[in-house]
Amino acid sequence: MISFVLNGTSVDVDVSLDTPLLWVMRDHLKLKGTKFGCGMGLCGACSMIVDGVSTRTCILPVAAVANKHITTIEGLGNPQMLSTLQQAWVDNSVPQCGYCQSGQLISASALLNSNPNPSDAQIDDAMSGNICRCGTYPNIKKAIKAAATNQVGVQTFNPSELTSGVVA
Ligand code: FES
Ligand code: FES
């Protein structure tokens, strides 16, 4: 059994402690927005914010997040209530195939939370671990700058399906 705070809600999960956080999220908590890419900590598709830091969860044992605060893509907003960062993504037509975009938004959110007005170099540095096969990098940078203008960081809401309790 392990406990952590997920998108603002306390959860307990009964899983093997060496299970990667990505699979706890997708298979046990049924939050499918975070994607599996390389499985080796190299592409950023599986990024979640763990205690403020964009973190590769395909190689992170769930034991490492005991009592920590985790934000997934589901915690940033939803189609009915986009965060300003997500709206900037839409306004700048960032996604192409979309596969990497959950991880991109998570890393951008972590960046803006810690640095509301990043320079180009700081954006490049913060986003360098998130790979996009479609080459959306220029529009990602435009969207981050647009969101920064509005002083946006992570906007966490509580998905109604997430409640405290044991999840097998
Ligand atoms: S799937 Fe985790 S870094 Fe690629
Ligand atoms: S939008 Fe296709 S991989 Fe990034």
Side-chain angles (χ1 to χ4, degrees), residues 2-21:
I2 191 161
S3 304
F4 50 85
V5 178
L6 173 60
N7 297 329
T9 299
S10 295
V11 295
D12 305 311
V13 287
D14 190 6
V15 295
S16 173
L17 294 182
D18 61 358
T19 308
L21 179 60

Side-chain angles (χ1 to χ4, degrees), residues 22 35-47 56-59 129:
L22 174 63
K35 303 305 183 190
F36 174 77
C38 64
M40 300 172 65
L42 300 173
C43 74
C46 62
S47 301
R56 311 299 173 248
T57 62
C58 64
I59 54 171

Side-chain angles (χ1 to χ4, degrees), residues 38-122:
C38 64
M40 300 172 65
L42 300 173
C43 74
C46 62
S47 301
M48 299 176 200
I49 299 173
V50 180
D51 278 359
V53 178
S54 180
T55 302
R56 311 299 173 248
T57 62
C58 64
I59 54 171
L60 184 70
V62 69
V65 301
N67 303 314
K68 295 191 174 180
H69 286 73
I70 299 169
T71 302
T72 66
I73 187 70
E74 291 86 357
L76 298 188
N78 64 34
Q80 289 72 44
M81 188 177 67
L82 294 180
S83 69
T84 306
L85 181 61
Q86 289 172 315
Q87 188 62 54
W89 239 244
V90 173
D91 293 344
N92 287 277
S93 302
V94 175
Q96 291 196 25
C97 81
Y99 198 83
C100 73
Q101 296 295 319
S102 168
Q104 304 283 3
L105 279 158
I106 284 292
S107 290
S109 293
L111 169 63
L112 292 179
N113 256 9
S114 63
N115 181 358
N117 190 24
S119 66
D120 278 14
Q122 287 168 330

